[in-house]
Every structure is written in C-alpha cells, then in structure tokens.
Amino acid sequence: MIITIGDSVCWGQGLEDVHKFDRILANTWLGNAADLESENGGLKRLAHSGSTLGAQTDNSTETAYPEVPVSYPSVWQQITTVPDWTDVDLLILNGGINDVSLTRILNPWVSPAQIAQLTQQFCLGEMSRLLPVAAGKLVKDGARVAVLAYYPILSAETKFDNPKQALMLMEQHGVATSSVALGKTLDPAALVPAIVDNCMSFWNASNTSLQSAVDQTNAAVRRQVCVFVSPGFTVANAL
C-alpha cells in the first residue's frame, strides 16, 4: 500500500486522478487500481493543496476540498489520521514550501538569503523532527519513506508573454504590485530578476535541506528507511 502525504505537489494539483504520479505508481508497482479509500491495498492520498508541515500539536478538525489551498490538515495531522500502518509499503511525503510561503518567495523585497534561512528552518529543521516519527510508523519489512524534491518555480529561462503576467502572479499570491501612496504600478521587468533569485534560492536550499533531513533521520533511526527523491528537474522545468 502507498500513502501520499504533503502539499499540492503530492496532491497533483489540477490533474485528474489517473494522471497523478502516485496513482500511476500504485497501478504500475502494486498492480492495483483500487479506489483512493480502499482498505485492501493500493493508494491512500491525504496530501492537499496548501498544506504546511505544521507542528506535532496541530489538532484542527477543519477540512476543505484538496484543490483549495489551505494549510490544514498539516503534514503532521495527515500522518496522525492514518489508523493502521501495518500494510504500508511506501510513504510518499513532501512539505516546507507553504511554511516558507509563496508570498515571501515571490516578493522581490524579500532577499534570497532570507528565503534560504527560512527554507533551512522548515525543510531541514522541522522536517528533521517529522521524519523520525513518520519512519517510526512503518512496521513492514522494506517499507520506505520517499521525500520528494521541489522544482524551480521561476528561473532565468522564464519568459513572460506580457510583463503584466509577472504582476498577476505576484497578486495571486498576496504580493502587492501597486502603491496607493504613489499612485503607480510597479515595473515588472525590474522585479522579475529578484523574484527569480528567490525562486532559485528556495529550490537549491530545499534540495540540500531535504537531503540533510533524510540523512539525519536515517542516522537517528539507524536504518536506511528514508530516501530523498529528486525528479531531475532543471531550470528548464520552471514556469
């Protein structure tokens, strides 16, 4: 059985179920096209858009349709909602970007150094607290935790058809692009390089931090239960 926990990357934002990577993996690896809620093996997907790593003390009972980006249930909560781990072969897991927040990453007035520091705080510090607990849930011989990498949101290869698209992207994620005091809209061409620097800072820092969290967890539990999975994305895979 495969359990998928995390944010929109693991949820498979915008995709039909048959096109989500965990469903393809379940059908290929386990040969089981069972429903998501099947108790007889297959796949159980708890990931949803907007999920934060959260904290071990999270106790919210609120839920929303998984395509809607909300922070709850957190990754910690998703783990605790699994009643039985006996038959789990693989736990697919990710998290951290929503704790850092896209509002910060896409904000040209936040520095790449700040993004890197926050990424290390969550993708290394908080993930290192969560992974040993997740790994401890797995009781089946050979069971693994696959920790997924992120992708570069924007890169130097990103080309906007219209400069206003950059402003729209910022606005969609809560970054103001006009000044009420000055009565003018900001120049997107001047802002994009700083945003790209932030995106690259998050991408690079998250890869390093998640790999370190995996290594620290394996050392702590004294077995190679966690694996950092990079899909091999490059700057060409950015928006």
Side-chain angles (χ1 to χ4, degrees), residues 142-165:
R144 294 288 184 270
V145 180
V147 181
L148 267 60
Y150 284 100
Y151 54 89
I153 304 168
L154 302 181
S155 77
E157 295 192 15
T158 298
K159 306 298 179 186
F160 291 103
D161 297 328
N162 185 319
K164 290 185 178 180
Q165 290 178 330

Side-chain angles (χ1 to χ4, degrees), residues 167-190:
L167 299 182
M168 291 172 61
L169 182 65
M170 294 168 64
E171 291 279 3
Q172 287 171 352
H173 294 282
V175 183
T177 61
S178 63
S179 170
V180 176
L182 298 179
K184 67 178 183 180
T185 300
L186 302 171
D187 177 13

Side-chain angles (χ1 to χ4, degrees), residues 11 21 42 55 58 78 113 148 163 168 177 196 212 232 235:
W11 160 245
F21 75 86
D58 289 346
Q78 292 170 42
L148 267 60
M168 291 172 61
T177 61
V196 168
S212 295
V235 292

Side-chain angles (χ1 to χ4, degrees), residues 1-238:
M1 180 179 182
I2 297 172
I3 294 180
T4 307
I5 283 173
D7 56 34
S8 60
V9 173
C10 281
W11 160 245
Q13 188 80 359
L15 298 176
E16 294 185 0
D17 177 66
V18 294
H19 298 146
K20 295 177 188 281
F21 75 86
D22 56 356
R23 172 57 67 193
I24 295 171
L25 176 61
N27 291 349
T28 303
W29 182 34
L30 301 177
N32 186 345
D35 292 337
L36 290 177
E37 301 303 323
S38 170
E39 296 179 356
N40 301 315
L43 171 67
K44 186 175 184 64
R45 186 185 301 123
L46 298 172
H48 67 88
S49 179
S51 177
T52 58
L53 288 171
Q56 195 166 12
T57 54
D58 289 346
N59 59 7
S60 171
T61 59
E62 296 294 323
T63 59
Y65 182 69
E67 199 78 6
V68 180
V70 294
S71 62
Y72 50 83
S74 67
V75 174
W76 272 106
Q77 288 177 283
Q78 292 170 42
I79 290 174
T80 60
T81 60
V82 179
D84 185 4
W85 293 81
T86 306
D87 295 322
V88 176
D89 301 279
L90 177 65
L91 169 60
I92 301 173
L93 181 150
N94 84 327
I97 192 169
N98 293 313
D99 302 86
V100 176
S101 99
L102 286 171
T103 303
R104 290 193 183 101
I105 296 172
L106 299 177
N107 189 330
W109 296 282
V110 176
S111 72
Q114 288 176 293
I115 297 300
Q117 186 276 323
L118 287 166
T119 304
Q120 292 166 4
Q121 176 183 337
F122 293 106
C123 292
L124 174 55
E126 296 303 321
M127 186 64 80
S128 294
R129 294 181 178 86
L130 182 145
L131 282 181
V133 175
K137 299 283 187 180
L138 301 178
V139 296
K140 194 172 183 179
D141 287 345
R144 294 288 184 270
V145 180
V147 181
L148 267 60
Y150 284 100
Y151 54 89
I153 304 168
L154 302 181
S155 77
E157 295 192 15
T158 298
K159 306 298 179 186
F160 291 103
D161 297 328
N162 185 319
K164 290 185 178 180
Q165 290 178 330
L167 299 182
M168 291 172 61
L169 182 65
M170 294 168 64
E171 291 279 3
Q172 287 171 352
H173 294 282
V175 183
T177 61
S178 63
S179 170
V180 176
L182 298 179
K184 67 178 183 180
T185 300
L186 302 171
D187 177 13
L191 301 177
V192 169
I195 299 172
V196 168
D197 286 346
N198 282 352
C199 291
M200 297 303 293
S201 179
F202 172 78
W203 182 47
N204 291 323
S206 64
N207 281 338
T208 303
S209 296
L210 292 171
Q211 178 68 73
S212 295
V214 163
D215 293 341
Q216 289 183 19
T217 299
N218 288 337
V221 301
R222 298 184 178 181
R223 59 193 179 105
Q224 297 298 306
V225 63
C226 296
V227 179
F228 175 62
V229 181
S230 173
F233 289 147
T234 70
V235 292
N237 298 109

